[in-house]
Coordinates of all heavy atoms in Angstrom, one line a residue:
M1 N -169.9 -141.2 7.3 CA -170.8 -140.2 7.9 C -171.3 -140.8 9.2 O -171.7 -142.0 9.3 CB -172.0 -140.0 6.9 CG -173.2 -139.4 7.6 SD -174.6 -139.3 6.5 CE -174.6 -137.6 6.2
Y2 N -171.4 -140.0 10.2 CA -171.9 -140.4 11.6 C -173.4 -140.5 11.6 O -174.1 -139.6 11.1 CB -171.4 -139.4 12.6 CG -170.0 -139.6 13.0 CD1 -169.0 -138.7 12.5 CD2 -169.5 -140.6 13.8 CE1 -167.7 -138.8 12.8 CE2 -168.2 -140.8 14.1 CZ -167.3 -139.9 13.6 OH -165.9 -140.0 13.9
V3 N -173.8 -141.6 12.1 CA -175.3 -141.8 12.3 C -175.6 -141.4 13.8 O -176.6 -140.7 14.0 CB -175.6 -143.3 12.1 CG1 -177.0 -143.6 12.5 CG2 -175.4 -143.7 10.7
C4 N -174.8 -141.8 14.7 CA -174.9 -141.5 16.1 C -173.8 -140.7 16.6 O -172.7 -141.2 16.8 CB -175.0 -142.9 16.9 SG -175.2 -142.6 18.7
S5 N -174.1 -139.4 16.9 CA -173.0 -138.5 17.4 C -172.7 -138.8 18.8 O -171.5 -138.6 19.2 CB -173.5 -137.1 17.2 OG -173.7 -136.8 15.9
C6 N -173.6 -139.3 19.6 CA -173.4 -139.5 21.0 C -172.3 -140.6 21.2 O -171.5 -140.4 22.1 CB -174.7 -140.0 21.7 SG -176.0 -138.8 21.7
F7 N -172.3 -141.6 20.4 CA -171.3 -142.7 20.5 C -170.3 -142.8 19.4 O -169.6 -143.8 19.3 CB -172.0 -144.0 20.8 CG -172.7 -144.0 22.1 CD1 -174.1 -143.9 22.2 CD2 -172.0 -144.2 23.3 CE1 -174.8 -143.9 23.4 CE2 -172.7 -144.2 24.6 CZ -174.0 -144.0 24.6
G8 N -170.4 -141.9 18.4 CA -169.5 -141.9 17.3 C -169.6 -143.1 16.4 O -168.7 -143.6 15.9
V9 N -170.9 -143.5 16.2 CA -171.2 -144.7 15.3 C -171.4 -144.2 13.9 O -172.3 -143.3 13.7 CB -172.3 -145.5 15.9 CG1 -172.7 -146.7 15.0 CG2 -172.1 -146.0 17.3
T10 N -170.7 -144.8 13.0 CA -170.9 -144.4 11.6 C -171.9 -145.3 10.8 O -172.3 -146.3 11.3 CB -169.6 -144.6 10.8 OG1 -169.2 -146.0 10.8 CG2 -168.4 -143.7 11.5
E11 N -172.3 -144.8 9.7 CA -173.3 -145.6 8.8 C -172.6 -146.9 8.5 O -173.3 -147.9 8.4 CB -173.6 -144.7 7.6 CG -174.6 -145.4 6.7 CD -175.1 -144.5 5.6 OE1 -174.9 -143.3 5.7 OE2 -175.7 -145.0 4.7
A12 N -171.3 -146.9 8.2 CA -170.7 -148.2 7.8 C -170.7 -149.2 9.0 O -170.9 -150.4 8.7 CB -169.2 -147.9 7.4
Q13 N -170.6 -148.7 10.2 CA -170.7 -149.6 11.4 C -172.1 -150.2 11.5 O -172.2 -151.4 11.8 CB -170.3 -148.9 12.6 CG -168.8 -148.6 12.7 CD -168.5 -147.7 13.9 OE1 -169.0 -146.6 14.0 NE2 -167.6 -148.2 14.8
V14 N -173.1 -149.3 11.3 CA -174.5 -149.8 11.4 C -174.7 -150.9 10.3 O -175.3 -151.9 10.6 CB -175.5 -148.7 11.2 CG1 -176.9 -149.2 11.1 CG2 -175.4 -147.7 12.4
K15 N -174.2 -150.6 9.1 CA -174.4 -151.6 8.0 C -173.7 -152.9 8.3 O -174.2 -154.0 8.0 CB -173.9 -151.0 6.7 CG -174.8 -149.9 6.1 CD -174.2 -149.3 4.9 CE -175.2 -148.2 4.3 NZ -174.6 -147.6 3.1
K16 N -172.5 -152.8 8.9 CA -171.7 -154.0 9.3 C -172.5 -154.8 10.3 O -172.6 -156.1 10.2 CB -170.4 -153.6 9.8 CG -169.6 -154.8 10.3 CD -169.2 -155.7 9.2 CE -168.2 -156.8 9.8 NZ -168.6 -158.1 9.6
H17 N -173.1 -154.2 11.3 CA -173.9 -154.9 12.3 C -175.1 -155.5 11.7 O -175.5 -156.6 12.0 CB -174.3 -154.0 13.4 CG -173.1 -153.5 14.3 ND1 -172.3 -154.4 15.0 CD2 -172.7 -152.3 14.6 CE1 -171.4 -153.8 15.6 NE2 -171.6 -152.5 15.5
A18 N -175.7 -154.8 10.7 CA -176.8 -155.4 10.0 C -176.4 -156.6 9.2 O -177.1 -157.6 9.1 CB -177.5 -154.3 9.0
E19 N -175.3 -156.6 8.5 CA -174.7 -157.7 7.8 C -174.5 -158.9 8.7 O -174.6 -160.0 8.4 CB -173.4 -157.4 7.1 CG -173.6 -156.5 5.9 CD -172.3 -156.0 5.4 OE1 -171.2 -156.5 5.8 OE2 -172.3 -155.0 4.5
D20 N -174.1 -158.6 10.0 CA -173.9 -159.6 11.0 C -175.1 -160.1 11.6 O -175.1 -161.0 12.5 CB -172.9 -159.1 12.1 CG -171.5 -158.8 11.5 OD1 -171.2 -159.4 10.5 OD2 -170.8 -158.1 12.2
G21 N -176.3 -159.6 11.2 CA -177.6 -160.1 11.7 C -178.5 -159.2 12.5 O -179.6 -159.6 12.8
A22 N -178.1 -158.0 12.8 CA -178.9 -157.1 13.5 C -180.0 -156.6 12.5 O -179.7 -156.1 11.4 CB -178.1 -155.9 14.0
C23 N -181.3 -156.7 12.9 CA -182.4 -156.3 12.0 C -183.2 -155.2 12.6 O -184.1 -154.7 11.8 CB -183.3 -157.5 11.8 SG -182.5 -158.9 11.0
T24 N -183.0 -154.8 13.8 CA -183.8 -153.7 14.4 C -182.9 -152.7 15.1 O -181.7 -153.0 15.4 CB -184.7 -154.3 15.5 OG1 -183.9 -154.8 16.5 CG2 -185.6 -155.4 14.9
P25 N -183.4 -151.5 15.3 CA -182.6 -150.5 16.0 C -182.2 -151.0 17.4 O -181.1 -150.7 17.8 CB -183.6 -149.3 16.1 CG -184.4 -149.4 14.9 CD -184.6 -150.9 14.7
R26 N -183.0 -151.8 18.0 CA -182.7 -152.3 19.3 C -181.5 -153.3 19.3 O -180.6 -153.3 20.1 CB -183.9 -153.0 20.0 CG -183.6 -153.6 21.4 CD -184.8 -154.0 22.0 NE -185.6 -152.9 22.4 CZ -186.7 -152.9 23.1 NH1 -187.2 -154.1 23.4 NH2 -187.4 -151.8 23.4
Q27 N -181.4 -154.1 18.2 CA -180.3 -155.0 18.0 C -179.0 -154.2 17.7 O -177.9 -154.6 18.1 CB -180.6 -156.0 16.9 CG -181.6 -157.0 17.4 CD -182.2 -157.9 16.3 OE1 -182.0 -157.6 15.1 NE2 -182.8 -159.0 16.6
I28 N -179.2 -153.1 16.9 CA -178.0 -152.2 16.6 C -177.5 -151.6 18.0 O -176.3 -151.6 18.2 CB -178.4 -151.1 15.6 CG1 -178.7 -151.7 14.3 CG2 -177.3 -150.1 15.5 CD1 -177.5 -152.4 13.5
A29 N -178.5 -151.2 18.8 CA -178.1 -150.6 20.1 C -177.4 -151.6 20.9 O -176.4 -151.2 21.6 CB -179.4 -150.1 20.8
S30 N -177.8 -152.8 20.9 CA -177.1 -153.9 21.7 C -175.7 -154.1 21.2 O -174.8 -154.4 22.0 CB -177.8 -155.2 21.6 OG -179.1 -155.1 22.3
A31 N -175.5 -153.9 19.9 CA -174.2 -154.1 19.3 C -173.2 -153.0 19.5 O -172.0 -153.2 19.7 CB -174.3 -154.4 17.8
C32 N -173.7 -151.7 19.5 CA -172.8 -150.6 19.5 C -173.3 -149.4 20.3 O -172.6 -148.3 20.2 CB -172.4 -150.2 18.1 SG -173.9 -149.6 17.1
K33 N -174.4 -149.5 21.0 CA -175.0 -148.4 21.8 C -175.7 -147.3 21.0 O -176.3 -146.4 21.6 CB -174.0 -147.7 22.7 CG -173.4 -148.6 23.8 CD -172.6 -147.8 24.7 CE -172.0 -148.7 25.9 NZ -171.2 -147.9 26.8
A34 N -175.6 -147.3 19.7 CA -176.2 -146.3 18.9 C -177.7 -146.2 19.2 O -178.4 -147.3 19.2 CB -176.0 -146.5 17.4
G35 N -178.2 -145.0 19.4 CA -179.7 -144.9 19.7 C -180.0 -145.0 21.2 O -181.2 -144.8 21.5
T36 N -179.1 -145.2 22.0 CA -179.4 -145.4 23.4 C -179.3 -144.2 24.3 O -179.6 -144.2 25.5 CB -178.6 -146.5 24.1 OG1 -177.2 -146.2 24.0 CG2 -178.8 -147.8 23.3
D37 N -178.7 -143.1 23.8 CA -178.5 -141.9 24.6 C -179.7 -140.9 24.3 O -180.7 -141.0 24.9 CB -177.2 -141.2 24.4 CG -176.8 -140.2 25.4 OD1 -177.3 -140.3 26.5 OD2 -176.0 -139.3 25.1
C38 N -179.5 -140.0 23.3 CA -180.5 -139.0 23.0 C -181.6 -139.6 22.1 O -182.7 -139.0 22.1 CB -179.9 -137.8 22.4 SG -179.4 -137.9 20.7
G39 N -181.3 -140.6 21.3 CA -182.4 -141.2 20.5 C -182.6 -140.5 19.1 O -183.4 -141.0 18.3
S40 N -181.9 -139.5 18.9 CA -182.2 -138.7 17.6 C -181.7 -139.5 16.4 O -182.2 -139.2 15.3 CB -181.5 -137.4 17.6 OG -180.1 -137.5 17.6
C41 N -180.9 -140.6 16.5 CA -180.4 -141.3 15.4 C -181.3 -142.5 15.1 O -181.1 -143.2 14.1 CB -179.0 -141.8 15.6 SG -178.8 -142.8 17.1
V42 N -182.3 -142.8 15.9 CA -183.0 -144.1 15.7 C -183.7 -144.1 14.3 O -183.7 -145.1 13.7 CB -184.0 -144.3 16.9 CG1 -185.0 -145.5 16.6 CG2 -183.3 -144.5 18.2
R43 N -184.3 -143.0 13.9 CA -185.0 -143.0 12.6 C -184.0 -143.2 11.5 O -184.3 -143.9 10.5 CB -185.7 -141.7 12.4 CG -187.0 -141.6 13.3 CD -187.8 -140.4 13.0 NE -188.8 -140.2 13.9 CZ -190.1 -140.3 13.7 NH1 -190.5 -140.5 12.4 NH2 -191.0 -140.1 14.6
R44 N -182.8 -142.7 11.6 CA -181.8 -142.9 10.6 C -181.4 -144.4 10.6 O -181.2 -144.9 9.5 CB -180.6 -142.0 10.9 CG -179.4 -142.2 10.0 CD -179.6 -141.3 8.7 NE -178.4 -141.5 7.9 CZ -178.4 -141.9 6.7 NH1 -179.5 -142.3 6.1 NH2 -177.2 -142.0 6.0
I45 N -181.2 -145.0 11.7 CA -180.9 -146.4 11.8 C -182.0 -147.2 11.2 O -181.7 -148.1 10.4 CB -180.6 -146.8 13.3 CG1 -179.4 -146.1 13.8 CG2 -180.6 -148.3 13.4 CD1 -179.2 -146.2 15.3
Q46 N -183.2 -146.9 11.5 CA -184.4 -147.6 10.8 C -184.3 -147.5 9.3 O -184.5 -148.5 8.6 CB -185.7 -147.0 11.3 CG -186.0 -147.4 12.7 CD -187.2 -146.7 13.3 OE1 -187.5 -145.5 12.9 NE2 -188.0 -147.3 14.1
A47 N -184.0 -146.3 8.8 CA -183.9 -146.1 7.4 C -182.8 -147.0 6.8 O -182.9 -147.6 5.7 CB -183.6 -144.7 7.0
I48 N -181.6 -147.0 7.4 CA -180.5 -147.9 7.0 C -180.9 -149.3 7.0 O -180.7 -150.1 6.0 CB -179.3 -147.6 7.8 CG1 -178.7 -146.2 7.6 CG2 -178.2 -148.7 7.5 CD1 -177.7 -145.8 8.6
L49 N -181.5 -149.8 8.0 CA -181.9 -151.2 8.1 C -183.0 -151.5 7.1 O -183.1 -152.7 6.6 CB -182.4 -151.5 9.5 CG -181.4 -151.4 10.7 CD1 -182.1 -151.6 12.0 CD2 -180.3 -152.4 10.4
G50 N -183.8 -150.6 6.8 CA -184.9 -150.8 5.9 C -184.5 -151.1 4.4 O -185.2 -151.6 3.6
R51 N -183.3 -150.7 4.1 CA -182.7 -150.9 2.8 C -182.2 -152.2 2.5 O -182.1 -152.6 1.3 CB -181.6 -149.9 2.6 CG -182.0 -148.5 2.6 CD -180.8 -147.6 2.2 NE -181.1 -146.3 2.7 CZ -180.1 -145.5 3.2 NH1 -178.9 -145.9 3.3 NH2 -180.4 -144.3 3.7
G52 N -181.8 -153.0 3.5 CA -181.2 -154.3 3.2 C -182.0 -155.5 3.6 O -183.0 -155.4 4.3
A53 N -181.5 -156.6 3.1 CA -182.2 -157.9 3.5 C -181.8 -158.2 4.9 O -180.7 -157.9 5.4 CB -181.7 -159.0 2.6
C54 N -182.7 -158.9 5.6 CA -182.4 -159.3 7.0 C -182.5 -160.8 7.1 O -183.6 -161.3 6.9 CB -183.4 -158.6 8.0 SG -183.1 -159.1 9.7
P55 N -181.4 -161.5 7.3 CA -181.5 -163.0 7.3 C -182.5 -163.5 8.3 O -183.2 -164.4 8.1 CB -180.1 -163.4 7.7 CG -179.2 -162.2 7.5 CD -180.1 -161.0 7.5
R56 N -182.6 -162.8 9.5 CA -183.5 -163.3 10.5 C -184.9 -163.1 10.1 O -185.8 -163.9 10.4 CB -183.2 -162.5 11.9 CG -181.9 -163.0 12.5 CD -181.7 -162.3 13.8 NE -180.4 -162.7 14.4 CZ -179.8 -162.1 15.3 NH1 -180.3 -161.0 15.8 NH2 -178.7 -162.5 15.8
R57 N -185.2 -161.9 9.5 CA -186.6 -161.6 9.0 C -187.0 -162.6 8.0 O -188.1 -163.1 7.9 CB -186.6 -160.2 8.5 CG -188.1 -159.8 8.2 CD -188.1 -158.3 7.7 NE -187.5 -157.4 8.6 CZ -186.5 -156.5 8.3 NH1 -186.1 -156.5 7.0 NH2 -186.0 -155.8 9.2
E58 N -186.1 -163.0 7.1 CA -186.4 -163.9 6.0 C -186.7 -165.3 6.6 O -187.6 -166.0 6.2 CB -185.2 -164.0 5.0 CG -185.0 -162.8 4.2 CD -183.7 -162.7 3.4 OE1 -183.0 -163.7 3.4 OE2 -183.4 -161.7 2.8
L59 N -185.9 -165.7 7.6 CA -186.2 -167.0 8.3 C -187.5 -167.0 8.9 O -188.3 -167.9 8.9 CB -185.1 -167.3 9.3 CG -183.7 -167.7 8.7 CD1 -182.7 -167.8 9.8 CD2 -183.8 -169.0 7.9
A60 N -187.9 -165.9 9.6 CA -189.1 -165.8 10.3 C -190.3 -165.8 9.3 O -191.3 -166.5 9.6 CB -189.2 -164.5 11.1
D61 N -190.1 -165.1 8.2 CA -191.2 -165.2 7.2 C -191.4 -166.6 6.6 O -192.5 -166.9 6.2 CB -190.8 -164.2 6.0 CG -190.9 -162.8 6.4 OD1 -191.5 -162.4 7.4 OD2 -190.4 -161.9 5.6
Q62 N -190.4 -167.4 6.7 CA -190.5 -168.8 6.2 C -191.0 -169.7 7.3 O -191.2 -170.9 7.1 CB -189.2 -169.3 5.7 CG -188.7 -168.6 4.5 CD -187.2 -168.9 4.2 OE1 -186.6 -169.8 4.9 NE2 -186.6 -168.3 3.2
G63 N -191.2 -169.2 8.5 CA -191.7 -169.9 9.7 C -190.6 -170.8 10.3 O -190.9 -171.8 11.0
R64 N -189.4 -170.5 10.0 CA -188.2 -171.2 10.5 C -187.7 -170.6 11.8 O -187.9 -169.4 12.0 CB -187.1 -171.3 9.5 CG -187.6 -172.1 8.2 CD -186.7 -172.1 7.1 NE -185.4 -172.5 7.4 CZ -184.3 -172.3 6.6 NH1 -184.4 -171.7 5.5 NH2 -183.1 -172.7 7.0
P65 N -187.0 -171.3 12.6 CA -186.4 -170.8 13.9 C -185.4 -169.7 13.5 O -184.6 -169.9 12.6 CB -185.7 -172.0 14.5 CG -186.2 -173.2 13.9 CD -186.7 -172.8 12.5
V66 N -185.5 -168.6 14.1 CA -184.7 -167.4 13.8 C -183.3 -167.5 14.4 O -182.3 -167.4 13.7 CB -185.4 -166.1 14.2 CG1 -184.5 -164.9 14.0 CG2 -186.7 -166.0 13.5
L67 N -183.2 -167.7 15.7 CA -181.9 -167.7 16.4 C -181.2 -169.0 16.2 O -180.0 -169.0 16.0 CB -182.1 -167.3 17.9 CG -182.7 -166.0 18.1 CD1 -182.9 -165.8 19.6 CD2 -181.8 -164.9 17.6
A68 N -181.9 -170.1 16.2 CA -181.2 -171.4 16.1 C -180.5 -171.5 14.7 O -179.4 -172.1 14.7 CB -182.3 -172.5 16.2
E69 N -181.1 -171.0 13.7 CA -180.5 -171.1 12.4 C -179.1 -170.3 12.3 O -178.2 -170.8 11.6 CB -181.4 -170.5 11.3 CG -182.6 -171.4 11.0 CD -182.3 -172.7 10.3 OE1 -181.4 -172.7 9.5 OE2 -182.9 -173.7 10.7
L70 N -179.0 -169.2 13.0 CA -177.8 -168.4 12.9 C -176.7 -168.8 13.8 O -175.5 -168.7 13.5 CB -178.2 -167.0 13.1 CG -179.0 -166.3 12.1 CD1 -179.4 -164.9 12.5 CD2 -178.3 -166.3 10.7
S71 N -177.0 -169.4 15.0 CA -176.0 -169.6 16.0 C -176.0 -170.9 16.7 O -175.2 -171.1 17.6 CB -176.0 -168.4 17.0 OG -177.3 -168.5 17.7
A72 N -176.8 -171.8 16.2 CA -176.9 -173.1 16.9 C -175.7 -174.0 16.7 O -175.3 -174.1 15.5 CB -178.2 -173.8 16.6
P73 N -175.2 -174.6 17.7 CA -174.1 -175.6 17.5 C -174.7 -176.9 16.8 O -175.9 -177.0 16.7 CB -173.6 -175.9 18.9 CG -174.8 -175.6 19.8 CD -175.5 -174.5 19.1
A74 N -173.9 -177.7 16.4 CA -174.3 -179.0 15.8 C -175.3 -179.7 16.7 O -175.0 -179.7 17.9 CB -173.2 -179.9 15.4
S75 N -176.3 -180.3 16.2 CA -177.2 -181.0 17.1 C -176.6 -182.3 17.6 O -175.6 -182.8 17.1 CB -178.5 -181.3 16.4 OG -178.3 -182.3 15.4
L76 N -177.2 -182.8 18.7 CA -176.6 -184.0 19.3 C -176.8 -185.2 18.3 O -175.9 -186.1 18.3 CB -177.4 -184.3 20.6 CG -177.2 -183.3 21.7 CD1 -178.0 -183.7 22.9 CD2 -175.7 -183.2 22.1
D77 N -177.8 -185.2 17.5 CA -178.0 -186.3 16.5 C -176.8 -186.3 15.5 O -176.4 -187.4 15.1 CB -179.3 -186.1 15.8 CG -180.5 -186.3 16.7 OD1 -180.3 -187.0 17.7 OD2 -181.6 -185.8 16.4
E78 N -176.4 -185.1 15.1 CA -175.3 -185.0 14.1 C -174.0 -185.5 14.7 O -173.1 -186.0 14.1 CB -175.1 -183.6 13.6 CG -176.3 -183.2 12.7 CD -176.2 -181.7 12.3 OE1 -175.3 -181.0 12.7 OE2 -177.1 -181.2 11.6
A79 N -173.8 -185.2 16.0 CA -172.6 -185.5 16.7 C -172.4 -187.0 17.0 O -171.3 -187.6 17.1 CB -172.5 -184.8 18.0
A80 N -173.5 -187.8 17.0 CA -173.5 -189.2 17.4 C -173.1 -190.0 16.2 O -173.2 -189.7 15.1 CB -174.8 -189.6 17.9

């Protein structure tokens, strides 16, 4: 089922981007442009995102670094 008719983005694509770490409609828009044209799909995207766990949100709730945990390379201490 299409979520964003403007860019042909499906619900499955939005869920995949969420699984990959997108937690907000803005992050979904960055990944696939959904919600950036007419905006009528943004509420639907919010509803889809609201159903699942968000790794970044969970890290933030724990007071841990959000972006560093997901994409940081090995630290210099580990490399030495």
Side-chain angles (χ1 to χ4, degrees):
M1 166 187 248
Y2 284 103
V3 172
C4 177
S5 299
C6 297
F7 293 103
V9 178
T10 65
E11 185 171 342
Q13 288 172 302
V14 172
K15 288 179 180 179
K16 174 67 173 126
H17 290 304
E19 288 171 10
D20 291 342
C23 298
T24 66
R26 183 170 286 182
Q27 291 169 342
I28 294 292
S30 294
C32 63
K33 293 187 178 181
T36 62
D37 194 28
C38 76
S40 66
C41 60
V42 173
R43 287 183 191 248
R44 177 85 174 121
I45 293 168
Q46 287 172 324
I48 293 168
L49 294 175
R51 292 185 205 144
C54 178
R56 290 181 180 163
R57 188 177 307 126
E58 291 168 7
L59 290 171
D61 289 346
Q62 296 169 3
R64 295 171 56 194
V66 175
L67 297 177
E69 289 290 322
L70 292 177
S71 61
S75 71
L76 296 176
D77 294 336
E78 292 174 0

